[in-house]
């Protein structure tokens, strides 16, 4: 009989976490979350901004190559991805000029690129004095 009561008592022992231990674990997890979460909250915006910088650099280099080869700026940004020489380009005053097909060595980019911030087309200046400038059309990023 002694043995049976001892077995019952052993199974009756309550072992587990106290309320204080559970609260300590919850507080530690909350502190870790408060430290880590802010680093990830702006990650989407930062990645779009990095893509914007990269795309602007790519387009500006392509425009520079187009201008070096043909002596004119592209009429549109689509001319950078064209598979054949465009008929016209822009001089520094924004006037359309004929392009010699043999001077053109494109395409200068693989495909047209859209602004990663707002998904719209990039702004492209066709008038003097900023002919050939490309910029974001998203609010707050137009000076990049």
């Amino acid at each position: 009989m002694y043995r049976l009561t001892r077995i019952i008592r052993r199974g009756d022992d309550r072992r587990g976490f106290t309320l204080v231990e559970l609260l300590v674990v919850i507080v530690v997890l909350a502190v870790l979350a408060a430290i880590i979460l802010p680093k990830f909250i702006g990650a989407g915006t930062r990645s779009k901004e990095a893509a914007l910088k990269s795309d602007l650099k790519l387009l500006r280099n392509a425009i520079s190559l187009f201008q070096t080869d043909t002596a004119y700026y592209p009429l549109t940004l689509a001319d950078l991805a064209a598979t054949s020489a465009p008929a016209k380009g822009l001089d520094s005053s924004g006037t359309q000029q004929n392009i010699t097909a043999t001077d053109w060595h494109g395409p200068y980019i693989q495909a047209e690129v859209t602004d990663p911030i707002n998904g719209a087309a990039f702004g492209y200046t066709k008038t003097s004095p900023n002919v050939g400038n490309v910029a974001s059309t998203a609010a707050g990023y137009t000076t990049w």
Side-chain angles (χ1 to χ4, degrees):
M1 183 84 175
Y2 169 74
R3 188 174 163 99
L4 184 58
T5 51
R6 201 168 163 189
I7 292 173
I8 291 172
R9 276 195 200 140
R10 192 178 295 160
D12 215 17
D13 285 346
R14 296 185 188 248
R15 295 186 184 185
F17 297 108
T18 65
L19 182 60
V20 172
E21 291 170 331
L22 288 173
L23 287 175
V24 167
V25 169
I26 290 170
V27 167
V28 168
L29 290 175
V31 168
L32 288 174
I35 292 170
I36 294 172
L37 283 179
K39 295 182 187 275
F40 293 109
I41 288 175
T45 302
R46 286 192 308 270
S47 69
K48 286 181 181 181
E49 288 174 349
L52 174 62
K53 286 179 184 178
S54 173
D55 289 350
L56 285 172
K57 185 174 183 177
L58 171 82
L59 288 171
R60 289 171 179 156
N61 286 339
I63 290 168
S64 178
L65 288 172
F66 186 100
Q67 199 270 336
T68 299
D69 289 348
T70 64
Y72 301 112
Y73 295 98
L75 192 58
T76 65
L77 291 178
D79 290 346
L80 296 172
T83 56
S84 60
K88 302 240 181 223
L90 298 171
D91 63 15
S92 59
S93 66
T95 306
Q96 290 189 16
Q97 302 291 335
N98 292 325
I99 291 178
T100 306
T102 56
D103 292 340
W104 183 84
H105 302 291
Y108 296 91
I109 58 175
Q110 290 181 347
E112 286 188 66
V113 185
T114 58
D115 191 331
I117 302 291
N118 62 4
F122 280 99
Y124 182 64
T125 307
K126 299 179 182 182
T127 57
S128 184
N130 298 318
V131 175
N133 285 353
V134 64
S136 174
T137 55
Y141 297 95
T142 55
T143 59
W144 283 37

